[in-house]
Amino acid sequence: MTILDRFRALRETQFGAFVPVLLALAAIWGYFGLVLPAYDVMTGEADSFRAIFLSPRNIYNLFMQSAVIATLAVGITIVLLLGEIDLSAAATAGVCAALLGVLVLAGVPGWLACIIVMGVGVVMGAAQGVLVAYVGIPSFVVTLAGLLGYQGLMQKILPTGNLNVGDPFVRGIARVLIPDMWGLALAVVVVAAFAFANLRKQSQRKAKGLELDSPLALWGQVIAFGIIVVAVVLTLNAYRSLPLLLVLLVALTALLGWISVSTPYGRSLFAVGGNAESARRLGMKVQRIRVSAFAIVGLMAAIGGIFGASRFGSVSYTAFAGGSLLLEAIGAAVIGGTSLFGGRGSVWNAILGALVIGSLGNGLDLTGASAADKLMVSGAILLLAVAIDAVSRNNAGGR
């Protein structure tokens, strides 16, 4: 078996779906790790053995900076699985964050305000889903209108464009840290759960007489996953500790990942995205599925707004609706391997895609690149990801 054949076999495994984006992330980290040496504050001399980009402090900041992008990207992945798009996710997050700020300023307890804005996010997303599913308006048009309308609504809520959020509960989401030993214990539990899920899947495939992964591929996935998870936790512990915000993000992603892969509803998402007419003939409620998918995006957008308000301690129009958050979130989902044509993708890949986007921005910032350079590089990476998706889809159709 040639190296190319082995690579193709790896791509067919569960972990293999992560290989391209992991390689891209490794290349980005390797490049910036080499070109950005750390400087000794006492002597001013460069230390080639301690790259500033790969320092625990910068890795910690990188993960925190990418958290909001990843949250939106995970939600957007759900509608991309249907072959739809949501251009209003960032504006929805902004409206929910602004409403959160107003509620806590009015004296509403932080935990209750978070629940309220999550409900508002679900309603905002579902309303757009109804227009797409039952009225028949293309999702691009509906969510583009939502983008403009929600931006205007956010300006109404924040006439000054900025609002401080001082509620202890909300601020604590980003500031609470998991003790080092608890963080390592949590990492072990996550790796064990991953191993159990893989073994269970292998057992189910064997019972159905389906092709099985080789023991090398099976345990190779578990070992690689374990190394990555433990290394991340140790790196975060080396600077501060594992933030609660990242734990919540991983937990939400795990929940949506389980729903999208292991439930009838999740399988219906892929079925509708692959061929809506065939799914309809099989008795699937295609319209309800579309509405629910947009509701999930609205929920994740609201949570992204909460995360952003917690991390910054304030809500600003520029941070959510006036910047590049939407494009970065969509780019993260696509770079992560989710097809724009529907029927293929993973919410886990969206997190890795967000890290790719965040790493590029972070590394270019450290090298002193301009905002124009960052936009051009991000655009080139996104175009490459979409091109690979289109080529692989055409090749699959030709076989």
Side-chain angles (χ1 to χ4, degrees), residues 47-58:
D47 182 353
S48 59
F49 296 101
R50 295 188 300 109
I52 188 174
F53 180 82
L54 297 178
S55 66
R57 176 178 181 176
N58 191 62

Side-chain angles (χ1 to χ4, degrees), residues 297-363:
V297 180
L299 173 62
M300 293 303 294
I303 294 174
I306 294 171
F307 285 172
S310 175
R311 179 172 176 267
F312 297 117
S314 64
V315 181
S316 68
Y317 179 84
T318 303
F320 289 97
S324 58
L325 178 59
L326 171 65
L327 298 181
E328 290 174 343
I330 295 176
V334 175
I335 289 172
T338 299
S339 175
L340 288 171
F341 303 98
R344 188 177 77 247
S346 167
V347 293
W348 289 109
N349 283 26
I351 291 184
L352 293 177
L355 284 176
V356 169
I357 293 288
S359 299
L360 280 172
N362 182 273

Side-chain angles (χ1 to χ4, degrees), residues 10-247:
L10 177 62
R11 288 281 284 124
E12 296 299 322
T13 66
Q14 178 180 348
F15 191 75
F18 300 97
V19 170
V21 68
L22 280 175
L23 291 176
L25 193 60
I28 293 170
W29 283 27
Y31 172 76
F32 286 121
L34 291 174
V35 302
L36 292 170
Y39 289 88
D40 191 308
V41 295
M42 300 298 293
T43 65
E45 296 179 353
D47 182 353
S48 59
F49 296 101
R50 295 188 300 109
I52 188 174
F53 180 82
L54 297 178
S55 66
R57 176 178 181 176
N58 191 62
I59 296 299
Y60 179 94
N61 291 331
L62 172 60
F63 274 76
M64 294 297 283
Q65 291 167 4
S66 303
V68 176
I69 298 173
T71 305
L72 296 186
V74 168
I76 289 173
T77 297
I78 299 298
V79 292
L80 289 180
L81 291 177
L82 294 175
E84 306 288 355
I85 189 67
D86 189 342
L87 301 178
S88 67
T92 301
V95 170
C96 292
L99 180 60
L100 175 67
V102 171
L103 288 174
V104 296
L105 189 63
V108 177
W111 64 269
L112 180 57
C114 289
I115 294 176
I116 292 173
V117 300
M118 285 191 288
V120 171
V122 170
V123 172
M124 293 171 69
Q128 295 184 124
V130 169
L131 294 176
V132 173
Y134 290 97
V135 181
I137 306 175
S139 59
F140 179 89
V141 176
V142 171
T143 57
L144 179 59
L147 165 65
L148 299 174
Y150 294 157
Q151 284 181 341
L153 179 58
M154 187 178 182
Q155 290 183 5
K156 288 287 188 180
I157 299 174
L158 298 177
T160 62
N162 187 75
L163 180 64
N164 291 328
V165 180
D167 183 82
F169 179 88
V170 176
R171 297 291 293 272
I173 294 174
R175 293 189 175 188
V176 171
L177 300 174
I178 308 298
D180 290 358
M181 292 305 299
W182 282 104
L184 287 173
L186 187 59
V188 172
V189 170
V190 169
V191 174
F194 180 80
F196 174 78
N198 274 10
L199 290 173
R200 183 170 180 269
K201 179 181 178 181
Q202 189 87 329
S203 176
Q204 291 174 338
R205 293 180 66 87
K206 182 178 180 180
K208 296 177 181 179
L210 301 176
E211 183 179 357
L212 303 177
D213 293 336
S214 67
L216 178 62
L218 176 65
W219 289 107
Q221 297 173 49
V222 175
I223 293 172
F225 180 79
I227 291 174
I228 293 172
V229 171
V230 173
V232 167
V233 173
L234 288 175
T235 302
L236 295 174
N237 286 349
Y239 175 58
R240 297 182 70 183
S241 286
L242 177 65
L244 175 63
L245 188 151
L246 296 183
V247 175

Side-chain angles (χ1 to χ4, degrees), residues 277-294:
E277 183 57 32
S278 296
R280 183 180 290 106
R281 292 179 179 179
L282 288 173
M284 296 182 183
K285 306 296 183 181
V286 175
Q287 293 172 321
R288 294 181 183 178
I289 292 170
R290 286 200 170 102
V291 173
S292 64
F294 278 95

